[in-house]
Amino acid sequence: MDIDSKLSDQLRGIPRSGIRDFFELVIGRTDVISLGVGEPDKPTPWPIREAAIRSLEKGQTSYTSNLGLESLRIGISKYVEEHFRTHYDPKKEIIVTVGVSEALDIAFRAVLNPGDEVVFHQPCYVSYGPSITMAYGVPVPINTRLEDEFALLASDVEKAITPKTKVLVLNFPTNPTGAIEPVEELEKIAALCVKHDLLCFTDEIYSELLFDNRKHKSIVEFPGMRERTVLLHGFSKAFAMTGWRLGYACAPQPLIEAMMKIHQYTMLCAPIMSQIAAVEALKQGAEAYEPMRQSYEERRNFVVKRLNEMGLNCFNPGGAFYVFPEVTTATGLSGKDFALGLLQDQSVAVVPGGAFGPSGETCVRCCYATAPELLVQAMDSMEVFVKKHQK
Ligand code: PMP
């Protein structure tokens, strides 16, 4: 059978993740220091793991409500109110999902008709474009630039809006750049959403991981935004819970109801042990993530200093756990050739910036949520590599 001819046309046009392609080169190599995968280096804090262990001991292994455990939704409602100054009714305005990944997917599928356009800033998380395409929408990336520290300019958003635009997707702090959005621009972007009657999906997955005493402000907090926003958040990054696969979406009831229909026929519910662990994570709150946040800030300071000292142009990102140095000016190499060369010569893995969109092609992404002693070694090796290729 010609299986290829049986595959969906929609899927055929979607490339594999550039990160995955690159990391197949690393699989099986034990000598490589990886600054590649975007996840915390520490396991989930112990009290959270313990809550899940206890739940298994008690035999809590059932399905939950499609929307998620009520105790978790109540916890989410309190947490979101505190962090984003916005109230959501735990009974009907919150859905617990299998990671922010699922929340994004069901949000797109709940609102998009074929041909609807979705604007988002690029370089961005690798799944946005493909998730939009899989929901039969049209991805419309907006380039952000190193000279703006990858902030999104409201003037660029305005240029990208057409009568077909239905959704704007935001992610600050941003994967892969660590960028944060100036409040003045965010305010103007909110006004554009209201003016053009757009929905806004705001991916807040890194919102706890902010540096230099910054306070987070989400677009949902601006006038006229709550009614048109889906706030997407989860436990993977701040609470070091990537493997638990747990996220959530908060939005007005008709949107949650629509998302719930897709969720109930595909996932049914998120795993109960992960939900119980998440209840504990929210109880712990900043006590669980603050030590990790502080240590990311120290590592960011170290990595940014070293990258600039070796002659790469790297701005000081305000959040997340990524740096996105520009490598082409100093070495003449594209992001891809730099990453391949660094892996071959020095056994250090970083991700070519082009994996996050064409506007990142002269950059590489380094995740510094890696043991500090390995970061020192990785920076020393990168310096040797940069010296060899200095223009
Ligand atoms: N959004 C962004 C911006 C991310 O970086 C990631 C994970 N790398 C996700 C969503 C998906 O996270 P989750 O583990 O909650 O599915």
Side-chain angles (χ1 to χ4, degrees):
M1 182 188 256
D2 176 11
I3 302 282
D4 270 349
S5 71
K6 305 287 182 199
L7 298 178
S8 122
D9 292 339
Q10 195 70 359
L11 195 69
R12 216 183 297 277
I14 297 177
R16 283 174 16 139
S17 158
I19 302 186
R20 177 162 258 261
D21 272 355
F22 192 73
F23 276 88
E24 287 197 348
L25 300 173
V26 177
I27 288 171
R29 284 187 58 179
T30 49
D31 58 324
V32 172
I33 300 178
S34 178
L35 310 183
V37 182
E39 68 178 335
D41 57 322
K42 290 269 189 308
T44 308
W46 174 248
I48 303 173
R49 283 185 272 158
E50 198 176 28
I53 292 167
R54 296 272 170 273
S55 81
L56 287 172
E57 280 171 354
K58 281 194 240 157
Q60 291 176 291
T61 55
S62 62
Y63 291 130
T64 69
S65 137
N66 295 133
L67 288 178
L69 287 173
E70 192 170 4
S71 57
L72 177 56
R73 283 180 280 134
I74 290 170
I76 290 169
S77 175
K78 281 195 193 126
Y79 186 85
V80 167
E81 185 143 10
E82 210 175 285
H83 283 251
F84 304 97
R85 292 154 288 276
T86 308
H87 177 72
Y88 290 95
D89 182 346
K91 284 203 174 348
K92 47 188 188 210
E93 294 185 313
I94 296 172
I95 184 167
V96 176
T97 57
V98 179
V100 173
S101 304
E102 191 218 347
L104 274 164
D105 176 45
I106 62 177
F108 287 131
R109 288 204 272 158
V111 304
L112 294 181
N113 290 314
D116 285 342
E117 293 176 2
V118 180
V119 291
F120 55 96
H121 49 111
Q122 219 177 36
C124 66
Y125 178 43
V126 290
S127 94
Y128 293 163
S131 298
I132 295 161
T133 307
M134 286 190 281
Y136 298 92
V138 179
V140 181
I142 303 171
N143 285 345
T144 56
R145 309 164 192 90
L146 177 61
E147 60 263 34
D148 302 319
E149 301 196 341
F150 295 103
L152 176 61
L153 304 185
S155 52
D156 287 337
V157 177
E158 187 148 36
K159 279 184 225 147
I161 294 172
T162 75
K164 289 192 175 156
T165 309
K166 191 177 252 179
V167 185
L168 166 70
V169 181
L170 298 180
N171 169 230
F172 296 107
T174 307
N175 174 8
T177 58
I180 47 154
E181 183 70 349
V183 175
E184 320 79 72
E185 287 302 311
L186 203 58
E187 189 173 10
K188 287 188 220 159
I189 293 168
L192 284 174
C193 289
V194 174
K195 179 175 160 198
H196 294 276
D197 199 23
L198 305 184
L199 291 165
C200 179
F201 295 175
T202 181
D203 178 346
E204 302 283 355
I205 194 161
Y206 296 102
S207 59
E208 290 90 351
L209 304 181
L210 283 178
F211 310 134
D212 314 309
N213 297 315
R214 283 188 174 84
K215 293 274 168 285
H216 186 64
K217 183 139 177 120
S218 165
I219 195 159
V220 74
E221 298 174 53
F222 290 93
M225 289 308 294
R226 187 195 180 282
E227 66 185 83
R228 61 185 69 253
T229 298
V230 180
L231 187 149
L232 306 145
H233 201 359
F235 296 85
S236 288
K237 309 293 172 164
F239 293 99
M241 291 178 69
T242 48
W244 300 80
R245 310 307 307 123
L246 208 68
Y248 54 90
C250 304
Q253 190 199 1
L255 279 165
I256 293 297
E257 178 65 23
M259 289 165 70
M260 198 274 284
K261 277 198 231 165
I262 308 168
H263 175 77
Q264 77 180 170
Y265 293 128
T266 51
M267 295 297 160
L268 213 160
C269 66
I272 186 168
M273 47 289 259
S274 300
Q275 294 194 51
I276 290 169
V279 171
E280 183 59 32
L282 294 179
K283 267 194 209 140
Q284 298 277 319
E287 223 170 282
Y289 64 72
E290 183 55 22
M292 291 188 271
R293 191 207 61 76
Q294 272 176 20
S295 128
Y296 298 143
E297 182 160 352
E298 282 161 20
R299 288 182 247 180
R300 178 211 56 175
N301 293 344
F302 168 74
V303 167
V304 169
K305 184 165 171 283
R306 287 293 308 266
L307 290 170
N308 282 309
E309 280 170 2
M310 67 180 84
L312 300 179
N313 184 1
C314 181
F315 81 102
N316 197 27
F321 38 52
Y322 308 107
V323 283
F324 204 62
E326 200 274 338
V327 297
T328 306
T329 308
T331 64
L333 299 172
S334 68
K336 190 167 183 189
D337 289 341
F338 184 95
L340 282 171
L342 185 66
L343 181 62
Q344 268 154 17
D345 278 27
Q346 301 292 331
S347 302
V348 173
V350 297
V351 185
F356 309 95
S359 51
E361 267 164 10
T362 61
C363 302
V364 295
R365 186 190 78 173
C366 313
C367 172
Y368 54 79
T370 299
E373 61 280 10
L374 291 179
L375 273 183
V376 174
Q377 275 183 44
M379 288 301 115
D380 289 348
S381 304
M382 203 185 281
E383 189 169 351
V384 172
F385 182 77
V386 170
K387 274 207 183 114
K388 233 163 88 180
H389 292 273
Q390 208 117 39
K391 279 207 298 185

